[in-house]
Amino acid sequence: MPSPRDLLNAAKAEIVEIDPHDVAARLDHFTLLDVREPDEYEQGALPGAIHVPRGQLEFSIEGRLSDKGAPIAVYCAGGTRSAFAAKTLQDLGYRDVVSITGGFNKWKDDGLVWTTPRTMTSDQRIRYHRHLLLPEVGEAGQTKLLDSKVLLLGAGGLGSPAALYLAAAGIGTIGIIDMDVVDASNLQRQILHTIDRVGMRKVDSARAALTAMNPDVKVLTYDARLGADNILDIFDGYDVIVDGTDNFPTRYLVNDAALLKGIPVVHGSIFRFEGQATVFNPYVGPCYRCMIPEPPPAELAPSCVEAGVLGVLCGIIGSIQAVETIKMLLELGDPLVGRLLTYDALEQSFRTFKVRRDPSCPACGENAGPIQIAEYDDLCMPHAVLV
Ligand SMILES: [Zn+2]
């Protein structure tokens, strides 16, 4: 019967060990893999290391590291567990694995750079468990969501479902701008609000709903009209803007301010039984002005008159906006950049249309002048009001 020492020697005979300094000199080359227990990892780790405890390696590693040819440097506290882990990885088909001699302890003693990883509380691990099970999200992604700031324009039909799902997903800071009060006629679709909050400021009602659902979320409220005078200050520091506004002048204003600040806008709109959504990623894809250079005449523009809408349609489009927001934050999948998704509730059908950047776009085109943030008139026209 082999002793633990025999097993270790056998493992070491089949793997390559590397000095910490050789790894530190080529940090860009290696994917660092920390196989220690969570409490060890939380106290300090190598910068950018992936953390998979040794006991979970066989079951979790393929979800975290799919490229079996990538150079991997494994470490533990002293170099023993990482030697076994390196052997296991080789057995699983990973072709370029090394174990760091002396592990994290030697790394630290040698004065090499390490960090204290941002980790989640045990309550958060329970709350976001189903996200953590997704390798594409995982602890790193969830932590990123918790550090993210998303601004919702409007706590109405689209803002309500988007806000609820983004809060549930653990977006750490959610800003909401809305200057209305809750009205009984809102409740058919604006599911952030309740009958006992009729008459309350919408931003306060929204804050009550979101913090009751997830105490991790900090809700910042702006009980104001979004205008040229405040938009740049309000947008400052947000990672993504979720646009649920219902009129052309505000959308042009939002577009220009977002371009200036370089913040992606997840756009949604609804009318009767139809909705649409797209993502405007500044200077990567088209902007709102590329897609709609001129609004329809006021009498034909659905947003300029009070139109009927199937309440649940808001839930579908607002939820698509929440999905796209999370994809943008986590750089996941194929966001709706340069694609307009349309939904017809009566046909129960989705369609996507390509939207291209317009080289002559007055806002993001090649020869566009400096962006001006200006007020627009109430006639749904994209022209600045001359004052
Ligand atoms: Zn444009």
Side-chain angles (χ1 to χ4, degrees), residues 140-173:
Q142 188 61 54
T143 306
K144 200 168 181 191
L145 294 181
L146 287 163
D147 289 339
S148 295
K149 295 181 75 175
V150 173
L151 177 66
L152 293 152
L153 308 181
L158 295 172
S160 285
L164 286 166
Y165 271 114
L166 291 172
I171 303 297
T173 304

Side-chain angles (χ1 to χ4, degrees), residues 82-254:
S82 63
F84 287 116
K87 170 77 171 66
T88 303
L89 288 169
Q90 286 178 184
D91 293 345
L92 288 169
Y94 290 86
R95 297 187 294 277
D96 189 358
V97 186
V98 294
S99 169
I100 301 180
T101 313
F104 183 66
N105 293 340
K106 182 162 173 14
W107 183 280
K108 212 165 134 183
D109 291 346
D110 285 359
L112 298 170
V113 176
W114 57 279
T115 57
T116 306
R118 167 106 157 63
T119 53
M120 291 163 50
T121 64
S122 54
D123 282 350
Q124 288 175 330
R125 278 184 224 282
I126 294 167
R127 176 179 284 272
Y128 306 115
H129 182 61
R130 297 293 177 95
H131 272 173
L132 303 184
L133 290 175
L134 295 169
E136 295 83 354
V137 181
E139 187 152 337
Q142 188 61 54
T143 306
K144 200 168 181 191
L145 294 181
L146 287 163
D147 289 339
S148 295
K149 295 181 75 175
V150 173
L151 177 66
L152 293 152
L153 308 181
L158 295 172
S160 285
L164 286 166
Y165 271 114
L166 291 172
I171 303 297
T173 304
I174 294 181
I176 301 179
I177 178 162
D178 201 307
M179 61 178 295
D180 281 343
V181 295
V182 179
D183 182 89
S185 70
N186 300 150
L187 303 178
Q188 162 256 21
R189 64 200 177 284
Q190 300 183 14
I191 56 173
L192 269 174
H193 313 298
T194 54
I195 190 81
D196 60 325
R197 297 205 289 265
V198 167
M200 188 188 276
R201 308 300 304 175
K202 275 193 182 172
V203 288
D204 295 333
S205 171
R207 190 211 315 266
L210 300 179
T211 51
M213 193 234 281
N214 189 348
D216 282 342
V217 179
K218 186 164 113 189
V219 181
L220 302 178
T221 59
Y222 308 88
D223 194 347
R225 176 185 168 276
L226 198 60
D229 56 330
N230 60 11
I231 192 164
L232 292 177
D233 286 340
I234 291 175
F235 278 16
D236 200 37
Y238 283 100
D239 301 309
V240 175
I241 291 161
V242 180
D243 184 4
T245 59
D246 60 359
N247 64 83
F248 288 99
T250 308
R251 287 180 192 153
Y252 286 112
L253 180 67
V254 166

Side-chain angles (χ1 to χ4, degrees), residues 287 290 361 364:
C287 78
C290 294
C361 171
C364 78

Side-chain angles (χ1 to χ4, degrees), residues 255 259 283 285-291 356-365:
N255 181 70
L259 277 175
Y283 304 103
C287 78
Y288 187 69
R289 286 181 188 272
C290 294
M291 187 172 87
R356 289 194 168 79
R357 263 188 91 178
D358 176 2
S360 61
C361 171
C364 78

